[in-house]
Amino acid sequence: MAVVSKNQTQQQTPNPGGGVSRIEDSTNGKTCHQCRQKRTDLVGSCVTKKKDKTCPIKLCTKCILNRYGENAQEVALKKDWICPKCRGNCNCSYCMKKRGQKPTGILVHTAKKTGFSSVSELLKTSGSDKYFYTKKVKPEGVVVVSPLKLDQENSIEQKHVSIKKSRKTKREELKDINNGCSNENVVVKKSNPKKIKLSDSVHATTEVTKKVLAEGKKKKTTAKGIKENNVAEKIKRIKPALKKKEEDQVEIKIPQGNISITVSGIDLAPEDAGNVFQFLEFCSAFGKALDLRKGQAECVIREMLSGRSKRRQQYSTLTQMIIQLLTVILEDRGETSVCLSATDPSWFTTIGECLSESEVKLDDFPPEMFEKGISQYEKLNSSKRLKLLNFLCDETLGTLVMRNCIDSQNIESVERKKEAKEKINAAKDKEKQLKQKLQDELAQAVKAKNGIPLLITEHDAIVSRINAETQEVYSEMQNAIDMLSKKSQGSDDAVRTNPVELDDNGLIFWRLKSYNDEQNILLQDLGSWNEVCPHEKWFSFSSEQKPEIEKYISFIRMKRVQAQKNASTIIT
């Protein structure tokens, strides 16, 4: 005869279809996300990652079939399976409450009777508002004494005392009788406690009355104690809330950045980083309008900063870029007869004329310097040449060619946003039509069988056909959402590069197109917003520091929102 140890908690639940459907093991089993029972037959390896950790959710074979209509063997073989929680359609009690919905309870029998293969299909088609579980509260055993009339508390006529017992109490009494209680106890328990002998009625009535009065005093004392405990619990709850608020107000510091920045294989000097990024972003936005070749801007920077800027002017990509910008400026002024070339040093004198007519004044470039000729240009270092190049870029922004380019790109951006919104609305309408189509086809199929519920295979065939169409709609909607989110970033100006965030301490965070090797954020430190001529510094961060930067940006955004709330509260 086999002996089962007391500590053994493993239990097999038989499957009506044959075999063992699931195995309960409170010691070695793992918890099913749906039924919250520890089992050894869990399946599913969700591939979703949250904060570099894979989703740990698993379900038992019975729950994954009844609640979601998925075959356990197929789920176990899938390498790209996503759990119901990560898909957003988990119908367990915890997830339903978290979404603000009511738990469904045991709904699998209702789903099968109405022709659905699973609870998930039933809720998706009919909605979760129709089906929810209401817990029935059973009253515990309460002693009810028949009311005594005035001046008859000790009267002999009060013969019966009514005592109500719960089912649990009665079950325990029967258990004690079956477990071999003494004959005396059996007689006592079998006797009807509601009827009391006449000879003992006076004493019994008096005792019951005393008990009722004592219980009333006890209840008052207990109520007072409960009230005091509730106050103490509220105080305990307030303390962690205050502690959490203090933790939220802790200042988050920005990590130490790296002052060395590399662009196009060239290490930028700290004083040149800002000017280099300004020029590269200008070429990225207006390269098409200026008819720039691919990589031409990077070649100019490489020539300027790698020590090759002293080559002959006719072979210099920097000189060609300067002449190209000057030509746009002169044509906008109506000076079409002027023809500049790299072999003719007059282009340097033309820069001086543009600088003298401009509202921008650069102290590094006095007017007499341009009168002395090209020899003065050759004496300029790379930093000053870069400043001169950015000056010409800024001047071209005022030309008609550039303004037309900006306007056309803004119009295209608005049209793309409008097109994306129309696609999203069309996809939503199509999704509603497919849901209605699924309901109609299921109803027609049941009607064709004279009201007999569909088989699982018949139901799955209809659902899989509709799901194929639904997946196409979801992909179209996701593409439209992605396009809209990309175009909605920043301002309405399609060619303007906006910072990620501005800090009160003169810190500006950028995500630039010209620095997109790892999509990392750059930091521009102006020192202070109060300085008239700020001396900026640029810093880069490693990919490991990216979470810290994003955390700091979230902190200053939350700090700004809190300050705005406080200001509005003071005003009101």
Side-chain angles (χ1 to χ4, degrees), residues 458-476:
E458 295 173 342
H459 180 274
D460 289 347
I462 297 173
V463 172
S464 61
R465 182 162 46 80
I466 300 297
N467 280 345
E469 299 179 24
T470 308
Q471 289 298 328
E472 295 179 3
V473 175
Y474 283 156
S475 62
E476 291 175 5

Side-chain angles (χ1 to χ4, degrees), residues 403-434:
R403 295 314 307 170
N404 291 338
C405 175
I406 293 171
D407 294 339
S408 63
Q409 290 194 35
N410 286 336
I411 293 171
E412 290 177 4
S413 177
V414 171
E415 290 177 353
R416 282 193 294 266
K417 288 180 183 179
K418 185 178 179 182
E419 182 184 356
K421 289 179 180 178
E422 290 175 354
K423 286 183 178 179
I424 292 172
N425 294 331
K428 287 181 179 178
D429 293 340
K430 197 171 181 181
E431 183 185 5
K432 291 179 181 178
Q433 293 173 5
L434 288 173

